[in-house]
């Protein structure tokens, strides 16, 4: 007999305000989570009854317990990102005070910092790595009245102390997994679906080892870690997308969230051919500048790829190579962004500031690199040293960060040459500076003088005033809320404006080709 399992998904990002400790700005969520939909499908196939508490904003206690009582679960299954750790601790206490449900934690933080998680009061067990079969075995044992203490991949809190079971091998062939249970999510509550976009994930893992990403530590927990980067077959991927379309018939565009989309030329060719025939919707995906080629871009463009997300991360070649572990030359970066423009593919560049070993001069190189690469949009985040990453180890070793961090902080590293307040400042004005450098670069003669002036300004002592941070942050927050408000309440306008932005980018493309 199956049991009710309630997933709890804290899908919001809180960030502490500069100069106001303990006060947080919350970015409300509304994101599909492949891991939860995958586990839900496996539980359903085994006869259990999964459901979801999708917390797109922090709930108050009454709200939380009312939802809990409505579902009356036997198991409450938390997915715990590092930045959601303090919230999950509190919600676990609420569960234990309101019901006798079994509590299990899984996801990134329990995988990367298991000792910290198993000690949390109220947590009965934690899952390390993939939970697809582990949660089914746990639910099976509990529904049969058996002690689950031998279930692999799980650690247990017992009266005689923690029991740490080994991690089972990862699922090598993702085709063996059921198609995710998209129905776990209400399509109307998701951010992308409001504007006709469905998110999808056809692969798991990543073969690269970037210093800021926890993938290599997530990989290291498995006995068959060499098989970490895997993808559904092209045929199975199409079946996945058909089911996605059944779940959300209003889909007009697909956003693939895979770490790197289409690893392997043969897969890409076969998939794109099938996709063009069977699905034929415009799509966007993540790529790596050192992996994607003009040939693969052409295949992607023919299949309907409209936007590519790629990491510049740092404009300083040495920081990229030595600190981030990304061997990508400046020439390669500019060449691949140009190639995208020439093929009519819009680009979004990811960047980071506040890296270990960085200072303002190095950030200036990142700003200028974005101005030269001319992506359609620029995204910048403050570097967060997540547990299990090479850069966490480095930051702690150098004394730039304490070993235990609250990941809701505004900035993380305090370096002699790049204190926290300066990191917040360059982060706040990053996109504006990119736009100014781009503008200056486009003016033939006066441009050089303007660039020199901008350099002076960015590196000057004036650009350290703390009111600039407060003012810039308030402005950025207001702009973000305004944009999200439009996306939520006037989705057609959001689509229209985005369409104009993309069309302008493509006009730029035609101009470049004509030049
Ligand atoms: C796709 C993705 C996103 C998507 C979707 C997020 C989501 N909630 O699924 C978007 C773009 C929205 C996103 C946003 C963010 N992301 Co993100 N994202 C990823 C990415 C590339 C893949 C995640 C994925 O879907 N994997 C595939 C599924 C199948 O695996 P899974 O989620 O891990 O789930 C399995 C197991 O973890 C486990 N499991 C998970 N939960 C539970 C619960 C229980 C009870 C059990 C038993 C098991 C279990 O079983 C699942 C099935 O096998 C990872 C990179 C990576 N290394 O994995 C980063 C990653 C997860 N993201 C990360 C971060 C930091 C963020 C943001 C906070 C960034 C920001 N500042 O805004 C936000 C948070 C937003 C949010 N609400 O979650 C970090 C998390 C690090 C950490 N230690 O917490 C990662 C690991 C990247 C990194 N920097 O290393 N992200």
């Amino acid at each position: 007999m199956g049991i009710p399992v309630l997933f709890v998904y804290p899908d919001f990002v809180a960030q502490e305000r500069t100069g106001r400790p303990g006060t947080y700005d919350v970015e409300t969520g509304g994101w599909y989570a492949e891991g939860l939909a995958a586990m839900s499908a496996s539980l359903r196939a085994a006869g259990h009854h999964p459901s979801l508490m999708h917390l797109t904003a922090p709930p108050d206690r009454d709200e939380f317990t009312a939802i809990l009582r409505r579902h009356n679960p036997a198991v409450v299954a938390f997915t715990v990102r590092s930045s959601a750790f303090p919230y999950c601790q509190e919600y676990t206490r609420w569960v234990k005070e309101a019901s006798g449900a079994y509590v299990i934690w899984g996801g990134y933080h329990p995988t990367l910092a298991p000792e910290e998680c198993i000690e949390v009061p109220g947590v009965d067990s934690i899952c390390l790595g993939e939970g697809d079969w582990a949660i089914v075995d746990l639910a099976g044992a509990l529904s049969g009245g058996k002690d689950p203490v031998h279930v692999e991949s799980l650690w247990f809190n017992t009266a005689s102390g923690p029991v740490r079971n080994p991690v089972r091998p990862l699922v090598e062939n993702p085709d063996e997994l059921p198609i995710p249970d998209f129905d776990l999510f209400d399509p109307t509550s998701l951010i992308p679906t409001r504007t006709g976009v469905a998110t999808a994930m056809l692969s798991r893992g990543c073969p690269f080892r970037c210093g800021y990403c926890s993938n290599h530590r997530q990989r290291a927990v498995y006995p068959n870690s060499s098989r970490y980067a895997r993808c559904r077959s092209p045929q199975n991927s199409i079946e996945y997308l058909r089911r996605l379309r059944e779940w959300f018939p209003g889909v007009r565009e697909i956003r693939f969230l895979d770490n790197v989309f289409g690893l392997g030329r043969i897969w890409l060719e076969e998939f794109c051919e099938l996709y063009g025939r069977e699905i034929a919707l415009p799509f966007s995906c993540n790529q790596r500048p050192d992996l994607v080629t003009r040939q693969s871009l052409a295949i992607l463009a023919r299949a309907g790829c409209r936007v590519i997300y790629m990491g510049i991360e740092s404009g300083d070649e040495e920081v990229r190579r030595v600190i981030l572990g990304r061997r990508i030359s400046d020439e390669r970066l500019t060449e691949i962004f140009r190639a995208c423009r020439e093929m009519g593919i819009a680009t979004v560049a990811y960047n980071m500031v506040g890296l270990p070993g960085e200072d303002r001069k190095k950030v200036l190189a990142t700003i200028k690199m974005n101005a030269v690469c001319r992506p359609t949009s620029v995204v910048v985040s403050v570097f967060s040293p997540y547990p299990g990453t090479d850069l966490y180890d480095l930051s702690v070793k150098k004394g730039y960060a304490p070993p235990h961090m609250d990941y809701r902080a505004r900035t993380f590293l305090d370096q002699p040459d790049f204190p926290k307040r300066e990191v917040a400042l360059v982060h706040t004005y990053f996109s504006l500076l990119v736009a100014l450098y781009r503008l200056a670069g486009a003016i033939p003669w006066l441009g050089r003088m303007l660039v020199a002036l901008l350099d002076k300004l960015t590196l000057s002592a004036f650009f350290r005033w703390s009111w600039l941070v407060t003012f810039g942050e308030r402005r950025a927050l207001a702009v973000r809320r305004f944009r999200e408000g439009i996306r939520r309440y006037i989705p057609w306008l959001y689509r229209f404006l985005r369409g104009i932005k993309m069309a302008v980018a493509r006009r730029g493309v035609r101009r470049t080709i004509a030049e």
Side-chain angles (χ1 to χ4, degrees), residues 7 14 44 70 78 99 112 126 152 173-174 202 235 267 340 392 429 446 478 487 512:
F7 287 107
R44 227 174 260 292
R70 219 173 36 243
F78 283 88
S99 78
L112 301 167
I126 62 167
E152 278 186 325
N173 178 5
L202 306 177
Q235 294 73 15
W267 186 94
C340 289
Y392 167 91
Y429 289 94
L446 202 65
R487 176 136 97 166
T512 318

Side-chain angles (χ1 to χ4, degrees), residues 9 11 39 79 81-82 107-108 131-132 201 214-215 218 386:
Y9 172 24
D11 180 15
M39 286 186 290
T79 185
R81 245 180 17 248
S82 295
Y108 307 100
D132 304 85
M201 210 164 176
S214 50
N215 255 314
Q218 282 169 250
Y386 286 117

Side-chain angles (χ1 to χ4, degrees), residues 232-248:
R232 288 179 185 270
S233 66
Q235 294 73 15
N236 191 259
S237 301
I238 298 296
E239 179 54 24
Y240 174 118
L241 296 172
R242 274 202 208 105
R243 299 272 281 276
L244 183 72
R245 202 159 50 181
E246 276 167 31
W247 167 73
F248 178 40

Side-chain angles (χ1 to χ4, degrees), residues 160-458:
S160 52
V163 172
R164 300 176 179 85
N165 290 330
V167 174
R168 68 186 69 204
L170 51 75
V171 183
E172 291 192 7
N173 178 5
D175 286 8
E176 284 168 13
L177 291 165
I179 301 291
D181 175 19
F182 301 117
D183 282 333
L184 186 70
F185 289 86
D186 168 8
T188 60
S189 76
L190 301 183
I191 292 172
T193 50
R194 278 181 213 132
T195 49
V197 180
T199 52
M201 210 164 176
L202 306 177
S203 65
R204 286 189 178 187
C206 175
F208 297 97
R209 191 192 168 123
C210 298
Y212 52 88
C213 182
S214 50
N215 255 314
H216 74 277
R217 187 66 73 86
Q218 282 169 250
R219 164 205 282 253
V221 301
Y222 301 107
N224 54 345
S225 59
S226 63
R227 310 304 298 268
Y228 183 59
R230 27 259 120 118
C231 194
R232 288 179 185 270
S233 66
Q235 294 73 15
N236 191 259
S237 301
I238 298 296
E239 179 54 24
Y240 174 118
L241 296 172
R242 274 202 208 105
R243 299 272 281 276
L244 183 72
R245 202 159 50 181
E246 276 167 31
W247 167 73
F248 178 40
V251 59
R252 295 199 229 174
E253 191 182 321
I254 295 178
R255 163 84 173 99
F256 291 107
L257 289 174
D258 306 62
N259 284 282
V260 184
F261 183 71
L263 284 167
R265 177 78 181 270
I266 296 172
W267 186 94
L268 194 67
E269 278 176 3
E270 216 178 307
F271 170 78
C272 284
E273 218 246 288
L274 281 174
Y275 183 88
R277 260 204 330 258
E278 309 270 337
I279 309 293
L281 286 168
F283 67 92
S284 58
C285 61
N286 302 328
Q287 287 293 343
R288 271 183 64 111
D290 53 342
L291 205 69
V292 73
T293 59
R294 279 185 174 262
Q295 287 88 333
S296 57
L297 281 178
I299 297 171
L300 286 164
R302 261 202 310 277
C305 180
R306 297 281 190 273
V307 189
I308 282 185
Y309 293 72
M310 269 186 298
I312 290 180
E313 310 301 1
S314 166
D316 185 295
E317 205 169 311
E318 199 177 307
V319 171
R320 272 202 309 279
R321 193 166 42 82
V322 181
I323 310 275
L324 304 181
R326 288 166 71 89
R327 295 179 166 274
I328 306 169
S329 68
D330 289 350
E331 292 71 35
R332 176 76 194 161
L333 276 177
T334 42
E335 151 61 15
I336 216 66
F337 276 91
R338 187 184 321 118
C340 289
R341 275 199 302 279
E342 287 174 7
M343 292 190 197
I345 301 176
T347 45
V348 179
Y350 290 128
N351 298 278
M352 276 182 294
V353 296
L355 292 159
E358 205 175 42
D359 56 21
R360 256 206 227 201
K361 262 203 175 128
K362 288 177 177 152
V363 175
L364 191 58
T366 311
I367 291 168
K368 287 178 166 179
M369 179 56 78
N370 278 265
V372 170
C373 288
R374 291 161 50 201
T376 316
S377 296
V378 168
V379 175
V380 60
S381 45
V382 171
F383 163 70
S384 327
Y386 286 117
T389 61
D390 291 344
L391 293 191
Y392 167 91
D393 296 342
L394 181 73
S395 307
V396 173
K397 196 172 124 207
K398 292 251 182 194
Y400 300 155
H404 288 278
M405 275 163 260
D406 185 338
Y407 290 93
R408 295 172 297 178
R410 170 77 174 91
T411 60
F412 294 88
L413 306 194
D414 225 346
Q415 306 181 74
D417 291 339
F418 205 18
K420 284 184 172 187
R421 195 162 52 82
E422 282 193 26
V423 175
L425 188 72
V426 288
H427 176 250
T428 308
Y429 289 94
F430 189 94
S431 301
L432 177 68
L433 286 167
V434 171
L436 290 176
Y437 273 101
R438 219 169 130 166
L439 193 72
I443 303 173
W445 173 76
L446 202 65
R448 280 195 187 184
M449 264 167 56
L450 285 175
V451 167
L453 201 73
L454 280 171
D455 284 357
K456 276 224 159 63
L457 180 81
T458 317

